[in-house]
Amino acid sequence: MKRMKSHPIKLLSTTLNIRKSILLRVRLAFLAFFVFGAAIIGRIVYLQFFEGEKWQQQAEEIGLQYQKVRATRGNIYSDNGSLLITSLPFYRVAFDPTRPADNLFRREIDSLSLLLSGFFRDKGARDYRAIIENARKEGKEYIVLNKKEIKYQDKKVMSEWPLFRQGRMKGGVIFEKIDKRFYPFSNLGYRTVGYINQSNQGAGLEFSFNSYLGGKDGAGLFQKVAGGRWRPVYDGSEIKPVDGFDIQTTIDVNLQDVAQSALTRALIEHDADYGCAIVMEVHSGYVKAITNLSKTAEGRYAEIYNYAVGNHGLTDPGSTFKLASMITLLEKTNINLNDTVDTGKGEYEYYDRTMQDHKPGGFGKITVAETFTKSSNIGISKLVFAHFGQEPQKFIDHIKGMGLGKPVEFQMRGEGLPYIKSTTDRTWSNVSLPWMSIGYELTMTPIHTLTFYNAIANNGVMVRPIIVRSILDKGNVIEEYETSILNGKVCSKKTLNKIRDLLKAVVSEGTAYNIHDSYYPIAGKTGTAQKLVNGRYTRQYYTSFVGYFPANNPRYSCIVVIDNPKGYRQYGSDVAAPVFKEIADKIYAGDIDLNKPMTEDYKIDESTFPVIRAGFKSDLKLICNELGISNHDQTEEEWVRTSTVMNAVNWNGNVYRPGLVPNVMGMTLKDAIFLLENEGLVVSFGGKGRVVSQSQKPGTVSKDGTLINIDLE
């Protein structure tokens, strides 16, 4: 059969009709979608504006609400990885009694109630069972079994309890996590580590690095239950929080302890208002310790404010500023350190004001070098006034050019802004220049002063102080902070050498001679500034000492400030300098790289043994091995007594048995107290050295709470 061919005109007509039909259907569908969408939008508008209060009220009655789920904050570490602050997980134990199946509930409720009673010790097992059963009968899906917060280890144990071991869905247990910040070293450097509150306000590193430490909060659906509590509703819509990053600081915990302990003793001794100390590595600018202590209303000292960095630490620096004046004189004039200046009898008139020296009767005629080492106000001010009196702005410009007067942009928020007066300032007067030259009519914080002195120790290179080295994510460095230069050359090499000699002379023969040390040289400057109260200078003093050590090859710089010391000693040399010396001594003693090597002709006396008599074997063996002393085990016990055979030490047992009074003869106080208190004995001791007698006979039965006296020598 032949296929009939379609007529072209009819075919075109059919195609057009199909297209019209499709277009019509599309238009109808679009119209229907538009009408439907408009209806939805209209309904939303109606519900929001006309029935909004009704549905809002119902939502509140149901008690459902999306709430923030806090992220776990990151840790703050010291320079060697020790924790300065961390988040510890605590848990509140809640329960959904409707979850367990009937047979499981009946089988395990008694055991669970007994364990809850034994752990919390606030109710009997019957009481716990009654609370849980009543809640189950009433259909309650959430009850708090106890308000006490438990630790993570307790949670792990509880997770294996009857019912609880079935988990949240089948067993009904709900462990509500609560993170709490924990300071492993207690109040050590508390203000530096800092804190942050629920409103994201705070202080210290916690506040300054909150954007890293805080992480990213999540969200979840919560339902309000009886007692105003909110229980989580696990409906799958939760947004998990992202934990915060960690930060590693430059703080050395041991140096922090040294600085804080030394400063505390001085503040107590002088009944001062507050004090601060900063220790910094010279070349890197790493802050190894920073402590701030203020007197509380109870008369104690605590870290309340960061005077080392913040606005309240801005004050007249006093004589420590004479370093800047002396550098300017040496750089901008032709004076020689051997030139002389007449300081008279200790008083000098500048217009309507009288300047005084701290020495009664004055210094008379002294050299330019002595004006600095003896800290003569009159000598320094006369030199500055003679050379810059007609052009005071020239003096000021050079001071600012060295980097003073600018913030160091420290990594912690709240840095006080230093102030160096200019001739255009409203408060400029005829006496401003001489008083500025000795550290008045300008303000600086201790961190600014230390940064300047550190530049002298660092061959004239001023580096920015650093307290945070890196940002870490699960141990991996994601951001690192390197040493940066604020001023590559604060003065010429010629001037630098002269200044370093002057700073050493301050300690070897000048105002800080009381901290002169024959083992290692110290360089620095004392400072004593009268405090400005209500616009008038008073007999209250701001004392300081700032410098570096060892002076010939500087490793550390340090500043100590003690405000308003009481008593007859009120100068920086008597109050602040000894604290510097104590800190420096302990750093020097503990840093093997700073100590001089033994001379080649030094030999160990083979017949001499260290005074090792008794103690913890692992510690004693470590000492012997480090010193190269032969030692041999005669026992497997941990606590030992020693005997010597030829040139060797033997470890012997029979020192400690549980339940019996230990034999602590020959032990250090630390080991003796550990063993005795471990047996429940109350220890009283006297003397120094090692135990030479004990009041309770070794090997007798030990009784908790009884007193034992030990003598040491």
Short mmCIF file of all heavy atoms in Angstrom, two decimals, residues 11-39:
data_model
loop_
_atom_site.label_atom_id
_atom_site.label_comp_id
_atom_site.label_asym_id
_atom_site.label_seq_id
_atom_site.Cartn_x
_atom_site.Cartn_y
_atom_site.Cartn_z
N LEU A 11 -0.55 20.18 7.74
CA LEU A 11 0.48 19.86 8.74
C LEU A 11 0.89 21.09 9.54
O LEU A 11 1.03 21.07 10.76
CB LEU A 11 1.71 19.26 8.05
CG LEU A 11 2.85 18.79 8.96
CD1 LEU A 11 2.36 17.69 9.90
CD2 LEU A 11 4.01 18.28 8.12
N LEU A 12 1.07 22.20 8.88
CA LEU A 12 1.44 23.45 9.55
C LEU A 12 0.35 23.89 10.49
O LEU A 12 0.59 24.34 11.62
CB LEU A 12 1.72 24.54 8.50
CG LEU A 12 2.08 25.93 9.02
CD1 LEU A 12 3.36 25.85 9.87
CD2 LEU A 12 2.26 26.90 7.88
N SER A 13 -0.91 23.73 10.05
CA SER A 13 -2.06 24.14 10.89
C SER A 13 -2.11 23.29 12.16
O SER A 13 -2.36 23.81 13.26
CB SER A 13 -3.34 24.00 10.07
OG SER A 13 -4.46 24.28 10.87
N THR A 14 -1.87 22.00 12.01
CA THR A 14 -1.90 21.09 13.19
C THR A 14 -0.81 21.47 14.19
O THR A 14 -1.03 21.52 15.40
CB THR A 14 -1.71 19.64 12.72
OG1 THR A 14 -2.72 19.31 11.79
CG2 THR A 14 -1.77 18.69 13.92
N THR A 15 0.38 21.76 13.65
CA THR A 15 1.50 22.14 14.53
C THR A 15 1.20 23.41 15.30
O THR A 15 1.46 23.53 16.50
CB THR A 15 2.78 22.35 13.70
OG1 THR A 15 3.05 21.16 12.98
CG2 THR A 15 3.97 22.69 14.59
N LEU A 16 0.62 24.38 14.63
CA LEU A 16 0.27 25.64 15.29
C LEU A 16 -0.76 25.42 16.38
O LEU A 16 -0.70 26.02 17.46
CB LEU A 16 -0.24 26.64 14.26
CG LEU A 16 0.81 27.19 13.28
CD1 LEU A 16 0.13 28.03 12.20
CD2 LEU A 16 1.85 28.01 14.03
N ASN A 17 -1.74 24.53 16.09
CA ASN A 17 -2.77 24.25 17.10
C ASN A 17 -2.17 23.60 18.35
O ASN A 17 -2.55 23.91 19.48
CB ASN A 17 -3.86 23.34 16.51
CG ASN A 17 -4.72 24.10 15.49
OD1 ASN A 17 -4.84 25.32 15.58
ND2 ASN A 17 -5.32 23.36 14.55
N ILE A 18 -1.19 22.72 18.15
CA ILE A 18 -0.53 22.05 19.29
C ILE A 18 0.22 23.07 20.13
O ILE A 18 0.17 23.08 21.36
CB ILE A 18 0.41 20.95 18.79
CG1 ILE A 18 -0.41 19.81 18.18
CG2 ILE A 18 1.29 20.42 19.92
CD1 ILE A 18 0.44 18.76 17.47
N ARG A 19 0.94 23.96 19.44
CA ARG A 19 1.71 24.98 20.16
C ARG A 19 0.80 25.90 20.97
O ARG A 19 1.09 26.27 22.10
CB ARG A 19 2.54 25.81 19.19
CG ARG A 19 3.72 25.04 18.59
CD ARG A 19 4.53 25.93 17.66
NE ARG A 19 5.69 25.20 17.15
CZ ARG A 19 6.55 25.72 16.28
NH1 ARG A 19 6.37 26.96 15.84
NH2 ARG A 19 7.57 25.00 15.88
N LYS A 20 -0.36 26.29 20.34
CA LYS A 20 -1.31 27.15 21.07
C LYS A 20 -1.84 26.44 22.31
O LYS A 20 -2.01 27.03 23.37
CB LYS A 20 -2.46 27.54 20.15
CG LYS A 20 -2.10 28.55 19.08
CD LYS A 20 -3.30 28.85 18.19
CE LYS A 20 -2.93 29.86 17.09
NZ LYS A 20 -4.09 30.13 16.21
N SER A 21 -2.08 25.13 22.15
CA SER A 21 -2.60 24.36 23.29
C SER A 21 -1.58 24.31 24.42
O SER A 21 -1.91 24.48 25.59
CB SER A 21 -2.94 22.94 22.82
OG SER A 21 -3.36 22.16 23.91
N ILE A 22 -0.30 24.11 24.04
CA ILE A 22 0.76 24.06 25.07
C ILE A 22 0.91 25.39 25.77
O ILE A 22 1.01 25.48 26.99
CB ILE A 22 2.09 23.63 24.43
CG1 ILE A 22 2.00 22.18 23.95
CG2 ILE A 22 3.25 23.80 25.41
CD1 ILE A 22 3.19 21.72 23.14
N LEU A 23 0.91 26.48 24.99
CA LEU A 23 1.05 27.81 25.57
C LEU A 23 -0.11 28.12 26.50
O LEU A 23 0.07 28.73 27.57
CB LEU A 23 1.13 28.87 24.46
CG LEU A 23 2.44 28.92 23.67
CD1 LEU A 23 2.31 29.85 22.47
CD2 LEU A 23 3.58 29.38 24.58
N LEU A 24 -1.31 27.68 26.11
CA LEU A 24 -2.49 27.93 26.95
C LEU A 24 -2.37 27.20 28.28
O LEU A 24 -2.66 27.75 29.34
CB LEU A 24 -3.76 27.48 26.20
CG LEU A 24 -5.09 27.67 26.97
CD1 LEU A 24 -5.29 29.17 27.29
CD2 LEU A 24 -6.24 27.13 26.15
N ARG A 25 -1.89 25.93 28.19
CA ARG A 25 -1.73 25.16 29.42
C ARG A 25 -0.65 25.77 30.33
O ARG A 25 -0.79 25.80 31.55
CB ARG A 25 -1.35 23.72 29.07
CG ARG A 25 -2.51 22.95 28.44
CD ARG A 25 -2.07 21.55 28.06
NE ARG A 25 -3.13 20.83 27.39
CZ ARG A 25 -3.00 19.59 26.91
NH1 ARG A 25 -1.84 18.96 27.04
NH2 ARG A 25 -4.01 19.02 26.31
N VAL A 26 0.43 26.24 29.73
CA VAL A 26 1.49 26.88 30.52
C VAL A 26 0.96 28.13 31.21
O VAL A 26 1.24 28.38 32.39
CB VAL A 26 2.70 27.23 29.63
CG1 VAL A 26 3.70 28.12 30.37
CG2 VAL A 26 3.38 25.96 29.15
N ARG A 27 0.20 28.94 30.48
CA ARG A 27 -0.36 30.16 31.07
C ARG A 27 -1.30 29.84 32.21
O ARG A 27 -1.31 30.51 33.25
CB ARG A 27 -1.08 30.97 29.99
CG ARG A 27 -0.13 31.66 29.01
CD ARG A 27 -0.88 32.28 27.85
NE ARG A 27 0.04 32.92 26.92
CZ ARG A 27 -0.34 33.38 25.73
NH1 ARG A 27 -1.61 33.24 25.33
NH2 ARG A 27 0.56 33.96 24.94
N LEU A 28 -2.14 28.82 32.00
CA LEU A 28 -3.07 28.42 33.07
C LEU A 28 -2.31 27.93 34.31
O LEU A 28 -2.67 28.24 35.44
CB LEU A 28 -4.02 27.33 32.55
CG LEU A 28 -5.07 27.79 31.52
CD1 LEU A 28 -5.80 26.59 30.96
CD2 LEU A 28 -6.06 28.76 32.18
N ALA A 29 -1.25 27.14 34.06
CA ALA A 29 -0.44 26.62 35.18
C ALA A 29 0.24 27.76 35.92
O ALA A 29 0.28 27.80 37.16
CB ALA A 29 0.60 25.64 34.66
N PHE A 30 0.80 28.71 35.17
CA PHE A 30 1.46 29.85 35.80
C PHE A 30 0.47 30.67 36.61
O PHE A 30 0.76 31.13 37.72
CB PHE A 30 2.13 30.71 34.72
CG PHE A 30 2.81 31.93 35.27
CD1 PHE A 30 4.06 31.83 35.89
CD2 PHE A 30 2.21 33.18 35.20
CE1 PHE A 30 4.69 32.94 36.39
CE2 PHE A 30 2.84 34.28 35.72
CZ PHE A 30 4.09 34.18 36.31
N LEU A 31 -0.75 30.85 36.02
CA LEU A 31 -1.78 31.62 36.73
C LEU A 31 -2.17 30.93 38.03
O LEU A 31 -2.32 31.56 39.07
CB LEU A 31 -3.00 31.80 35.81
CG LEU A 31 -4.18 32.59 36.39
CD1 LEU A 31 -3.74 34.02 36.73
CD2 LEU A 31 -5.35 32.60 35.42
N ALA A 32 -2.33 29.59 37.93
CA ALA A 32 -2.70 28.82 39.13
C ALA A 32 -1.60 28.92 40.19
O ALA A 32 -1.86 29.10 41.38
CB ALA A 32 -2.94 27.35 38.76
N PHE A 33 -0.30 28.81 39.76
CA PHE A 33 0.84 28.92 40.69
C PHE A 33 0.88 30.30 41.34
O PHE A 33 1.12 30.44 42.53
CB PHE A 33 2.14 28.65 39.95
CG PHE A 33 3.37 28.79 40.80
CD1 PHE A 33 3.72 27.79 41.70
CD2 PHE A 33 4.16 29.93 40.74
CE1 PHE A 33 4.84 27.92 42.49
CE2 PHE A 33 5.26 30.07 41.53
CZ PHE A 33 5.61 29.05 42.41
N PHE A 34 0.62 31.32 40.53
CA PHE A 34 0.64 32.69 41.03
C PHE A 34 -0.46 32.89 42.08
O PHE A 34 -0.24 33.46 43.14
CB PHE A 34 0.46 33.68 39.88
CG PHE A 34 0.37 35.12 40.32
CD1 PHE A 34 1.53 35.82 40.66
CD2 PHE A 34 -0.85 35.77 40.41
CE1 PHE A 34 1.46 37.14 41.08
CE2 PHE A 34 -0.93 37.07 40.83
CZ PHE A 34 0.23 37.78 41.16
N VAL A 35 -1.67 32.39 41.75
CA VAL A 35 -2.80 32.51 42.68
C VAL A 35 -2.49 31.76 43.98
O VAL A 35 -2.73 32.25 45.09
CB VAL A 35 -4.10 32.00 42.03
CG1 VAL A 35 -5.22 31.93 43.05
CG2 VAL A 35 -4.49 32.89 40.87
N PHE A 36 -1.90 30.54 43.82
CA PHE A 36 -1.58 29.72 44.99
C PHE A 36 -0.50 30.39 45.85
O PHE A 36 -0.60 30.46 47.07
CB PHE A 36 -1.10 28.35 44.53
CG PHE A 36 -0.77 27.42 45.65
CD1 PHE A 36 -1.76 26.91 46.49
CD2 PHE A 36 0.55 27.06 45.89
CE1 PHE A 36 -1.43 26.06 47.53
CE2 PHE A 36 0.87 26.22 46.93
CZ PHE A 36 -0.12 25.71 47.75
N GLY A 37 0.54 30.92 45.16
CA GLY A 37 1.61 31.61 45.89
C GLY A 37 1.11 32.84 46.59
O GLY A 37 1.48 33.13 47.73
N ALA A 38 0.27 33.61 45.89
CA ALA A 38 -0.29 34.82 46.51
C ALA A 38 -1.11 34.46 47.73
O ALA A 38 -1.12 35.18 48.75
CB ALA A 38 -1.13 35.58 45.48
N ALA A 39 -1.81 33.32 47.63
CA ALA A 39 -2.63 32.87 48.77
C ALA A 39 -1.74 32.53 49.96
O ALA A 39 -2.06 32.85 51.12
CB ALA A 39 -3.47 31.66 48.36
#
